[in-house]
Amino acid sequence: MTELSSHTEKLAKIRESIGQVVVGQENLVDRLLLAMLCNGHVLLEGVPGVAKTLTVNTLAKAVHATFSRIQFTPDLLPGDLTGTLIYDPRTHEFTPEKGPIFANLLLADEINRAPAKVQSALLEAMQEKQVTLGKETFPLPKPFLVLATQNPVEQEGTYQLPEAQVDRFMFKLKVGYPPMEEELIVMQRMARAQPLLEIAAIMTLEELMEMRAALEKIFIDEKVERYILRLVDASRYPENYGLELGRYLRFGASPRASIFLSLAARGQAMMKGRDYATPQDVKDVAHDILRHRLAISYRAEAEGMTSDDILDQILSKVPVTV
């Protein structure tokens, strides 16, 4: 068995194992695995009760990772997240007390309920993979992923996430209600005194880091890279591609979008057992990577147009080859 097929088989086993606990949500599970491969953070948007927390917790168990869940609230302090310095009166010294952020997988539940100071503390951790307590800087464990949830319906007591922070999330995933047949299975499985919530670890963190190293060997042709650049450029200058979208966009995707599209396309290829990325791999991940990077105008909102609608037009109009 080749190294690539071994990694692909391992990822398939994790997907199958999570499916023993989480019914449906295949796209969510695939994107979380892809985010782990590409070392990217994920923003989950969905109504309560659609298994967002359960899926993340189950994924942590499947890869034998440490897991922390923090319920974000308006009165949360940065120290509640990162930890603080504790004064010892016997030695007259301050010792660091590390917070729940020191975990491989951090679930930030209802992230948009926390104030700006907490968001800025999380921003350092997401970008620099480190936390500063007093004068000391502590590296976060490897891997370190933030999986944040927000409720699209509830707006009372919430804060708008800074655009710089939203841009640091590799994916923004929309999690909807399950189909009725899947919900029937959920009801039958979970409406018990002791529902099945435990799974065995399928993969170690060392194996995950090996997969990340193998991802570097996935080939992406320059033509595919140029296609990625055209997609991103079309979100900034749509008129150059015959798209009448200028009035619907305040600004387009950042250079991070190009980087993440390239990474995710190669990760998608690995999950499918290929050692090369195709334009279709780019298209498969484009919505999840770009939807939160397009700032739509008030006119677009008034006309009921979403960033996904805009992306549909961009993907249909921008040529794969020139």
Side-chain angles (χ1 to χ4, degrees):
M1 182 183 292
T2 64
E3 182 186 33
L4 177 60
S5 60
S6 172
H7 293 327
T8 304
E9 187 178 306
K10 186 79 73 173
L11 291 167
K13 283 183 180 177
I14 293 175
R15 195 185 297 115
E16 183 182 331
S17 182
I18 294 174
Q20 295 173 11
V21 176
V22 181
V23 179
Q25 303 293 11
E26 287 89 356
N27 184 65
L28 172 60
V29 173
D30 281 349
R31 289 294 180 265
L32 291 178
L33 285 172
L34 191 53
M36 281 206 317
L37 266 181
C38 301
N39 196 24
H41 308 294
V42 181
L43 181 61
L44 304 170
E45 185 176 277
V47 293
V50 288
K52 299 187 297 293
T53 304
L54 176 63
T55 305
V56 174
N57 195 358
T58 308
L59 176 64
K61 291 174 181 175
V63 298
H64 208 267
T66 55
F67 172 76
S68 281
R69 177 186 175 275
I70 303 173
Q71 182 65 49
F72 278 42
T73 57
D75 61 347
L76 195 72
L77 298 173
D80 298 329
L81 178 69
T82 61
T84 188
L85 296 175
I86 305 295
Y87 179 70
D88 187 341
R90 292 171 299 177
T91 61
H92 303 289
E93 292 179 349
F94 287 92
T95 55
E97 183 70 28
K98 293 181 179 179
I101 200 171
F102 287 88
N104 297 122
L105 292 180
L106 174 70
L107 178 63
D109 230 344
E110 296 192 282
I111 189 174
N112 53 334
R113 290 194 176 277
K117 284 188 176 180
V118 177
Q119 301 292 357
S120 63
L122 185 60
L123 197 62
E124 180 195 7
M126 289 172 65
Q127 184 62 25
E128 310 297 335
K129 306 293 173 71
Q130 64 183 31
V131 167
T132 302
L133 298 178
K135 294 180 180 179
E136 284 191 80
T137 299
F138 299 90
L140 288 163
K142 292 182 181 180
F144 172 72
L145 295 182
V146 174
L147 307 169
T149 70
Q150 64 178 15
N151 184 341
V153 182
E154 186 72 54
Q155 296 301 326
E156 190 173 340
T158 61
Y159 298 83
Q160 189 74 28
L161 289 181
E163 284 164 349
Q165 182 172 5
V166 172
D167 193 51
R168 280 170 170 78
F169 285 101
M170 183 175 190
F171 295 119
K172 180 181 180 182
L173 307 179
K174 292 190 173 182
V175 188
Y177 291 115
M180 193 178 292
E181 289 304 311
E182 287 184 0
E183 192 164 352
L184 174 64
I185 300 171
V186 171
M187 182 174 65
Q188 292 171 342
R189 184 180 293 182
M190 303 302 288
R192 299 165 178 258
Q194 293 291 331
L196 174 65
L197 296 176
E198 295 296 327
I199 63 169
I202 306 295
M203 183 171 72
T204 65
L205 293 179
E206 289 74 19
E207 288 174 311
L208 174 60
M209 301 309 283
E210 287 174 11
M211 282 188 187
R212 285 186 178 177
L215 187 63
E216 300 289 326
K217 300 174 186 175
I218 301 294
F219 175 72
I220 182 165
D221 192 89
E222 187 179 331
K223 291 179 181 177
V224 181
E225 291 177 328
R226 297 243 174 229
Y227 175 56
I228 289 171
L229 293 174
R230 283 195 295 277
L231 288 177
V232 174
D233 190 58
S235 74
R236 301 168 186 164
Y237 311 106
E239 63 279 359
N240 294 348
Y241 299 84
L243 291 161
E244 297 180 2
L245 296 174
R247 62 187 182 277
Y248 298 127
L249 285 165
R250 289 189 288 121
F251 58 84
S254 71
R256 273 199 192 93
S258 308
I259 297 167
F260 285 150
L261 279 170
S262 176
L263 264 174
R266 283 182 283 158
Q268 185 82 343
M270 176 184 278
M271 291 179 71
K272 291 182 177 180
R274 280 186 277 106
D275 60 358
Y276 60 92
T278 67
Q280 188 58 49
D281 292 324
V282 178
K283 291 179 180 180
D284 288 345
V285 299
H287 279 81
D288 294 333
I289 287 177
L290 294 173
R291 66 164 56 99
H292 55 299
R293 295 186 160 85
L294 304 187
I296 61 174
S297 65
Y298 294 118
R299 181 168 182 170
E301 292 179 12
E303 294 185 19
M305 182 173 280
T306 66
S307 57
D308 282 313
D309 296 327
I310 292 171
L311 284 169
D312 286 338
Q313 292 191 43
I314 290 174
L315 286 166
S316 65
K317 195 77 173 180
V318 174
V320 172
T321 58
V322 291

